[in-house]
Amino acid sequence: MKANEVIDNLKRRFPNEPEYIQAVEEVLTTIEDVYNQHPEFEKSNLIERLCIPDRIFSFRVTWQDDKGAVHTNMGYRVQHNNAIGPYKGGIRFHSSVTPSILKFLAFEQTFKNSLTTLPMGGGKGGSDFNPKGKSNAEIMRFCQAFVMELWRYIGPETDVPAGDIGVGGREVSFMYGMYKKLARENTGTFTGKSLEMGGSLIRPEATGYGNVYFLLEMLKTKNIDIKGKVVAVSGSGNVAQYTVEKLIELGAKVVTMSDSNGYIYDPDGIDREKLDYIMELKNLYRGRIKEYAEKYGCKYVEGARPWGEKCDIAMPSATQNELNGEDAKTLLANGCIAVSEGANMPSTPEAINTFLAAKILYAPGKAANAGGVSTSGLEMTQNAMHLGWSAEEVDQKLKGIMKSIHEQCVKYGKQEDGTINYVKGANVAGFMKVAKAMMAQGIL
Ligand code: NDP
């Protein structure tokens, strides 16, 4: 396989899908050597079968707002690869959603899920519906209309969706309610459910906590203590909130958070009380991060991202391509020693290359944020067993999984000079498991 040729070919076939091509390029260039050590892979054209999703469903979602006006949005589900388990991956509601974005996310999800040690394939779905400013009733009607189309294609052993940007506990509950009604089964075909309906303790916290656990594993390789470290976090949604919660608990000092309008810089650090305020602001009132700056009298920068602020550690936790090459150089110049990604593909290729060249501790999202889907996998297990584990039990399992993901990255990513290339490690480890399963299952 020549990675460049495969990528050029995909570019020709899918000309308007830059995010998808970006994700494929990042993986193929790092697995090329290992792939080429297996002529049997090439003989069965494994690479194209792995890069192109098994199938994509797209549908119109029609819903009515509170004033009676009728709207249409597009809905999608990308079932990327189920070689190692049922398709699994979140649903995103954001006006920027396109097939390209969902294809990149489903592709990444396949490798991420492979790393978790659990039997889950990769998928992703969503809609260009914008939930901002919508009433509770409008959200409910949209979620119900979305699932009226989607429900035929999913199931507990087929495809298990979850949340993502714009989809939290509220939306999952609305979608699961309608799914249950149509499918006439109560088998947990959605994860991220609330506790009363089969959700798992620690699932809301899992992506953020897991990212911090992964960071701790990376810091351990250099005997660095997290205590007192200054951390820049972006985003203020699910992932960012629980990243900050765990960082505070461990004695780190978080100085930034953001939303799609701008970021706040609090040199005193965001403490527990301030985080409670952010959680209330974002989860209950769906307010803007700017209000934090007004309440606590700190700096707010409109239309910017927080990477210009001095920090020891950066944890991008908002969205894709939110940290570019220039940001990466600024972070390094300011003494940043580690970057651990809560979001999916938040760093551009230029930023990734800058981090890799500087040999800082850099964890790509597919390794560092895999705690969320791992705990979704644990939710599926609990649902199948018709029981629920304690928070301590789930948290212990999550820690174990993050440790194992780190070990896999070290195994495949250790360089001659002793440093660890986590990008290569995660890609090769994730790829090998899926590749072996696909080879064993024949030409499908
Ligand atoms: P939420 O919707 O809860 O929060 C998203 C946050 O990012 C919000 O603060 C939002 O701001 C901000 N944001 C969204 N889009 C943009 C944008 N285009 N530019 C700047 N800021 C933006 O989502 P999650 O916290 O669940 O997801 C965050 C990231 O983590 C995503 O990349 C997601 O794919 C990834 N992820 C999530 C997992 C999970 O378990 N939830 C698991 C693994 C990865 P605003 O409030 O203005 O919308």
Side-chain angles (χ1 to χ4, degrees):
M1 181 255 289
K2 287 202 175 79
N4 285 346
E5 283 177 14
V6 178
I7 294 156
D8 284 346
N9 188 19
L10 289 174
K11 274 184 191 163
R12 261 194 306 278
R13 292 168 80 178
F14 308 107
N16 302 316
E17 301 188 351
E19 295 86 0
Y20 167 63
I21 299 293
Q22 181 184 337
V24 170
E25 193 158 7
E26 188 234 89
V27 171
L28 294 203
T29 48
T30 55
I31 63 166
E32 190 171 11
D33 290 348
V34 175
Y35 184 93
N36 287 330
Q37 287 161 19
H38 295 266
E40 70 277 15
F41 290 173
E42 187 67 356
K43 222 172 141 194
S44 67
N45 197 3
L46 192 82
I47 205 65
E48 267 186 25
R49 292 160 55 211
L50 190 60
C51 290
I52 300 174
D54 288 353
R55 66 194 66 80
I56 305 175
F57 299 106
S58 65
F59 42 87
R60 189 190 74 242
V61 184
T62 306
W63 61 281
Q64 206 163 13
D65 69 22
D66 289 344
K67 293 189 179 114
V70 177
H71 302 267
T72 63
N73 283 97
M74 285 309 296
Y76 308 94
R77 184 71 183 167
V78 180
Q79 295 184 337
H80 189 85
N81 187 295
N82 68 350
I84 63 171
Y87 303 105
K88 178 90 195 87
I91 300 272
R92 176 176 292 192
F93 291 165
H94 195 270
S95 48
S96 66
V97 162
T98 59
S100 170
I101 287 187
L102 297 179
K103 275 175 75 178
F104 117 64
L105 288 163
F107 176 82
E108 286 282 293
Q109 194 82 47
T110 300
F111 298 94
K112 182 191 306 190
N113 292 3
S114 165
L115 285 171
T116 65
T117 71
L118 304 173
M120 299 182 289
K124 201 84 189 188
S127 172
D128 56 3
F129 171 71
N130 175 11
K132 286 203 183 89
K134 304 289 187 298
S135 72
N136 209 42
E138 288 170 334
I139 296 285
M140 181 188 75
R141 287 197 291 276
F142 179 81
C143 289
Q144 291 179 339
F146 183 82
V147 168
M148 276 201 267
E149 286 295 328
L150 181 70
W151 77 278
R152 286 168 220 284
Y153 313 120
I154 60 177
E157 301 296 337
T158 313
D159 184 350
V160 183
D164 191 74
I165 291 178
V167 177
R170 174 180 64 163
E171 292 75 15
V172 166
S173 298
F174 285 144
M175 287 194 274
Y176 185 56
M178 182 50 92
Y179 173 81
K180 199 164 54 58
K181 190 177 174 76
L182 295 167
R184 300 195 303 125
E185 58 172 45
N186 212 330
T187 42
T189 306
F190 268 92
T191 59
K193 300 183 291 295
S194 59
L195 280 180
E196 316 79 60
M197 59 183 93
S200 175
L201 286 161
I202 305 294
R203 177 61 189 90
E205 294 88 346
T207 309
Y209 280 19
N211 190 12
V212 178
Y213 296 154
F214 195 90
L215 172 72
L216 292 179
E217 292 295 324
M218 289 204 296
L219 293 176
K220 222 194 298 175
T221 65
K222 299 210 165 200
N223 286 322
I224 299 171
D225 193 351
I226 183 95
K227 206 158 185 218
K229 291 286 172 296
V230 175
V231 187
V233 174
S234 66
S236 50
N238 171 269
V239 178
Q241 289 173 15
Y242 289 105
T243 300
V244 174
E245 179 168 282
K246 187 52 80 178
L247 288 168
I248 294 172
E249 193 187 310
L250 296 172
K253 184 175 170 185
V254 181
V255 291
T256 69
M257 286 181 87
S258 69
D259 62 20
S260 47
N261 292 100
Y263 78 89
I264 54 113
Y265 174 68
D266 185 343
D268 299 333
I270 299 169
D271 60 18
R272 179 72 248 185
E273 186 203 312
K274 292 171 175 172
L275 178 62
D276 285 341
Y277 169 75
I278 290 177
M279 286 179 162
E280 203 176 291
L281 174 74
K282 285 286 167 185
N283 308 345
L284 236 59
Y285 303 113
R286 303 189 188 266
R288 311 309 304 156
I289 199 74
K290 186 181 178 181
E291 296 167 53
Y292 176 100
E294 285 156 10
K295 183 169 166 73
Y296 294 106
C298 71
K299 179 166 110 178
Y300 169 72
V301 186
E302 178 84 18
R305 284 158 177 164
W307 315 125
E309 302 296 344
K310 191 169 165 44
C311 63
D312 302 309
I313 297 165
M315 303 185 81
S317 308
T319 194
Q320 66 275 353
N321 292 330
E322 56 164 316
L323 195 164
N324 63 26
E326 285 308 308
D327 298 326
K329 283 186 204 145
T330 309
L331 283 168
L332 293 179
N334 282 337
C336 179
I337 54 161
V339 177
S340 202
E341 296 182 341
N344 285 308
M345 206 167 78
S347 303
T348 63
E350 295 73 29
I352 296 174
N353 290 336
T354 305
F355 294 141
L356 291 179
K359 293 186 185 289
I360 63 161
L361 297 170
Y362 166 65
K366 73 169 70 66
N369 73 31
V373 73
S374 302
T375 309
S376 277
L378 300 177
E379 182 174 331
M380 288 164 71
T381 307
Q382 292 168 79
N383 291 165
M385 294 164 80
H386 299 284
L387 51 75
W389 293 325
S390 69
E392 292 71 28
E393 211 171 340
V394 180
D395 199 29
Q396 270 316 108
K397 285 185 165 55
L398 171 62
K399 278 184 187 149
I401 289 170
M402 297 317 292
K403 196 166 184 307
S404 155
I405 296 173
H406 185 267
E407 281 163 5
Q408 294 176 67
C409 290
V410 173
K411 180 176 171 191
Y412 290 102
K414 194 146 196 172
Q415 306 295 287
E416 276 169 12
D417 63 3
T419 60
I420 301 151
N421 180 335
Y422 287 90
V423 177
K424 183 171 182 202
N427 287 342
V428 173
F431 162 74
M432 281 310 286
K433 185 170 161 188
V434 179
K436 282 183 189 163
M438 287 176 72
M439 289 303 295
Q441 289 165 18
I443 308 295
L444 291 170

